[in-house]
């Protein structure tokens, strides 16, 4: 390799864009030729200067917020009655294969579809690695307080590690125009998302099961919360898990606590 | 004080699953989008506005995106938005002071020494980058700041890979010259 060849390919060399065979020749020339070694050193010095003084930047919070707002504006269906966010979620949830209330069934069913869609999407998205956990901890006393000030309710978080369902953490998710708590539990390599939000106090119901794209979704209404559990775990185990949650809920609701 | 760019998108045009896909695929690259906009525009305000406009455009046309490289896709939209802004003169007066004499690089053909580059400080580096013509600046930012491959850069800037390399090479020569001339001035 001549110095001219070396010089012509130096950029591609430092950018890792050359085929391995050429890289070998370049490296050989570099070891043998002091002048080209100086050129190479100069390029690396320039790169260091850029890395140090022209770094990647973070988007300003205002920009992030306005994009998120635009996304939420897209979700809002036209002519939706203005209920507080989680109230219509609760209303829609009641209708999913459980109870037909006094709500207009057609619109509510469409919303229920949209809700299962959104919850499943949230779960799948979390698995894609972009947003699995905002708070990663197996300690319920770390995860539960994390939601303080972020939601107008405090989700129940339980330690089910002893039963083979360790707590992994939680995240704040936007589902159908509202912020909801998503708790994440594990079972072997499977991830379970538990979504919950305040339910109208009323008759308890469920669980009802929906299966979509290989994911099981279990839904029920406890006295205080509407629950959705989403996972690719087998339905028998997922049912066992929901029973553990329900039992923990009833235990917590007893006046003497625990 | 000035007005922010306004969103012109229609509401409720994408399915929830598409929006979730947008959040999962595109939003993780918001920092990269802003970074590119900030280096291609002359000040923070323009960068914010052009990045916002580009992201809303991306959201609007997201149902047409079927590729596997969302980062390159969104960066291409940002890059085009920056070019449009620069062309139509919507940008605001240049905030980076640029001293033509200082950066003109009349140093002759000798290689600037690595030591001079090592001495370059933040102001000098940013100034030298800002002084690059847009088509050189974008390849430098995409490569050195964002670590993209020649192929990705070529797709974003709509140029062949060979042109990516020659522009990078020329951009680096200009930067090295500008930085070592700054260093010489000071020593
Ligand atoms: Zn040589």
């Amino acid at each position: 390799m001549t110095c001219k060849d070396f010089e012509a390919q130096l950029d591609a060399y430092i950018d890792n864009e050359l085929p391995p065979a050429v890289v070998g020749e370049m490296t050989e020339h570099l070891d043998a030729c002091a002048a080209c070694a100086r050129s190479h050193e100069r390029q690396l010095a320039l790169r260091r200067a850029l890395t140090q003084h022209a770094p990647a930047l973070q988007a300003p919070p205002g920009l992030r917020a306005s994009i998120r707002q635009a996304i939420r504006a897209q979700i809002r269906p036209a002519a939706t009655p203005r209920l507080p966010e989680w109230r219509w979620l609760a209303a829609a949830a009641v209708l999913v294969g459980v109870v037909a209330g006094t709500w207009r069934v057609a619109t509510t069913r469409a919303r229920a579809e949209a809700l299962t869609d959104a919850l499943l999407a949230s779960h799948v998205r979390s698995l894609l690695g972009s947003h699995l956990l905002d708070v990663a901890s197996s300690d319920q006393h770390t995860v539960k307080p994390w939601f303080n000030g972020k939601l107008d309710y405090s989700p129940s978080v339980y330690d089910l590690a002893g039963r083979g369902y360790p707590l992994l953490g939680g995240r704040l998710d936007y589902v159908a125009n509202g912020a909801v708590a998503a708790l994440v539990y594990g079972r072997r390599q499977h991830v379970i998302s538990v979504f919950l939000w305040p339910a109208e106090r009323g008759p308890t119901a469920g669980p009802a099961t929906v299966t979509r794209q290989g994911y099981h979704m279990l839904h029920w209404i406890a006295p205080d919360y509407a629950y959705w559990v989403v996972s690719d775990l087998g339905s028998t185990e997922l049912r066992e898990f929901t029973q553990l949650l329900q039992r923990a809920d009833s235990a917590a609701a007893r006046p003497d606590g625990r | 004080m000035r007005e922010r760019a306004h969103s012109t998108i229609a509401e409720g045009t994408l399915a929830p699953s598409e929006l979730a896909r947008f959040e999962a695929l595109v939003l993780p690259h918001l920092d990269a989008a802003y970074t590119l906009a900030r280096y291609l525009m002359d000040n923070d305000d323009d960068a914010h506005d052009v990045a916002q406009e580009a992201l809303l455009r991306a959201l609007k046309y997201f149902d047409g995106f079927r590729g596997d490289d969302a980062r390159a896709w969104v960066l291409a939209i940002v890059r085009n938005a920056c070019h449009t802004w620069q062309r139509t003169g919507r940008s605001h007066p240049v905030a980076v002071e640029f001293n033509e004499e200082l950066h003109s690089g009349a140093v002759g053909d000798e290689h600037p020494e690595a030591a001079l580059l090592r001495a370059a400080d933040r102001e000098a580096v940013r100034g030298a980058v800002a002084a690059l013509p847009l088509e050189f600046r974008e390849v430098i930012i995409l490569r050195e700041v964002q670590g993209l491959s020649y192929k990705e850069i070529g797709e974003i800037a709509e140029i062949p890979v060979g042109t990516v390399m020659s522009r990078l090479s020329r951009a680096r020569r200009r930067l090295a010259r500008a930085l070592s001339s700054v260093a010489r001035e000071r020593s």
Side-chain angles (χ1 to χ4, degrees):
Chain A
M1 177 171 287
T2 65
C3 293
K4 204 165 170 249
D5 293 335
F6 182 90
E7 199 64 45
Q9 298 179 100
L10 179 53
D11 288 278
Y13 178 68
I14 64 164
D15 290 329
N16 285 323
E17 294 275 348
L18 289 177
V22 185
V23 170
E25 290 179 47
M26 292 287 286
T27 310
E28 247 171 60
H29 186 89
L30 194 56
D31 289 341
C33 174
C36 288
R38 271 199 302 280
S39 298
H40 180 247
E41 194 195 339
R42 194 185 70 243
Q43 292 280 39
L44 294 185
L46 176 62
R47 167 161 292 173
R48 276 193 295 272
L50 285 167
T51 308
Q52 196 180 347
H53 298 302
L57 307 169
Q58 279 189 342
L63 175 62
R64 192 172 291 276
S66 64
I67 303 301
R68 288 206 174 273
Q69 195 184 354
I71 293 173
R72 283 200 289 279
Q74 289 258 320
I75 297 172
R76 184 182 305 129
T80 300
R82 296 251 168 198
L83 293 176
E85 290 143 357
W86 52 260
R87 287 177 58 113
W88 84 251
L89 273 178
V94 170
L95 262 282
V96 180
V98 187
V99 181
T102 54
W103 299 82
R104 279 168 307 166
V105 173
T107 53
T108 322
R109 179 161 301 148
R111 277 192 207 149
E113 288 276 317
L115 176 63
T116 49
D117 219 29
L119 291 170
L120 179 57
S122 165
H123 177 72
V124 173
R125 175 170 77 224
S126 75
L127 300 179
L128 292 177
S130 63
H131 186 205
L132 179 58
L133 297 169
D134 291 321
V135 51
S137 171
S138 59
D139 181 1
Q140 52 182 318
H141 304 296
T142 302
V143 175
K144 187 179 169 75
W146 181 85
F147 289 98
N148 290 346
K150 298 181 180 75
L151 292 169
D152 54 1
Y153 61 95
S154 181
S156 327
V157 186
Y158 301 113
D159 178 6
L160 302 174
R163 314 300 298 264
Y165 297 91
L167 177 66
L168 302 178
R171 68 178 182 273
L172 194 64
D173 236 321
Y174 288 90
V175 174
N177 214 19
V180 300
L183 303 170
V184 182
Y185 294 84
R187 175 74 164 178
R188 298 186 303 277
Q189 78 278 26
H190 300 279
V191 169
I192 308 171
S193 290
V194 178
F195 301 91
L196 69 160
W197 52 80
E200 303 281 291
R201 254 197 186 272
T204 59
T209 311
V210 183
T211 301
R212 283 218 186 163
Q213 299 162 32
Y215 294 92
H216 298 296
M217 306 178 70
L218 267 77
H219 166 60
W220 71 96
I221 303 189
D224 294 317
Y225 289 102
Y227 272 96
W228 279 89
V229 170
V230 186
S231 181
D232 62 345
L233 192 62
S235 57
T236 312
E237 282 185 307
L238 199 57
R239 222 161 250 286
E240 178 191 60
F241 172 71
T242 61
Q243 281 162 8
L244 290 172
L245 274 187
Q246 288 173 312
R247 255 183 251 141
D249 255 355
S250 337
R254 278 200 297 272
D256 54 345
R258 308 249 112 211
Chain B
M1 284 286 112
R2 40 196 226 85
E3 272 182 45
R4 287 271 175 233
H6 287 294
S7 139
T8 52
I9 49 169
E11 292 195 346
T13 52
L14 285 176
S17 57
E18 281 293 282
L19 291 167
R21 208 165 70 90
F22 183 84
E23 281 199 62
L25 295 179
V26 177
L27 278 198
H29 307 300
L30 184 59
D31 287 340
Y34 178 75
T35 297
L36 181 61
R38 182 61 191 90
Y39 282 104
L40 295 190
M41 304 304 289
D42 299 319
N43 57 61
D44 292 340
D45 279 345
D46 285 347
H48 181 291
D49 288 358
V50 83
Q52 175 169 326
E53 184 180 289
L55 264 290
L56 294 179
R57 176 170 281 271
L59 181 60
K60 185 174 174 184
Y61 293 110
F62 184 62
D63 53 357
F65 170 66
R66 289 284 171 267
D68 53 5
D69 190 348
R71 178 173 63 163
W73 180 74
V74 74
L75 288 179
I77 296 173
V78 171
R79 180 252 177 199
N80 287 338
C82 291
H83 277 253
T84 305
W85 274 57
Q86 299 282 23
R87 259 204 314 275
T88 53
R90 283 167 77 186
S91 45
H92 294 80
V94 177
V96 179
E97 291 296 326
F98 174 50
N99 183 334
E100 192 64 42
E101 217 176 329
L102 201 64
H103 294 271
S104 59
V107 188
D109 289 329
E110 71 176 294
H111 284 326
E113 291 306 319
L116 291 173
L117 293 173
R118 273 198 288 278
D121 64 9
R122 186 184 132 121
E123 189 194 351
V125 171
R126 299 250 173 123
V129 169
L132 287 174
L134 203 53
E135 72 265 27
F136 291 150
R137 208 185 321 156
E138 66 190 11
V139 294
I140 278 289
I141 298 305
L142 291 170
R143 174 61 223 160
E144 297 289 12
V145 181
Q146 308 197 289
L148 301 192
S149 69
Y150 287 5
K151 183 170 169 293
E152 290 171 308
I153 297 170
E155 280 162 16
I156 292 168
E158 298 172 6
I159 49 177
V161 166
T163 309
V164 173
M165 191 171 94
S166 63
R167 281 191 191 170
L168 264 177
S169 180
R170 291 172 66 189
R172 283 174 174 145
R173 270 205 298 276
R174 281 176 184 242
L175 285 175
R177 222 166 27 222
L179 290 177
S180 48
S181 91
V182 171
R184 279 205 184 86
E185 293 265 328
R186 286 178 188 170
S187 59

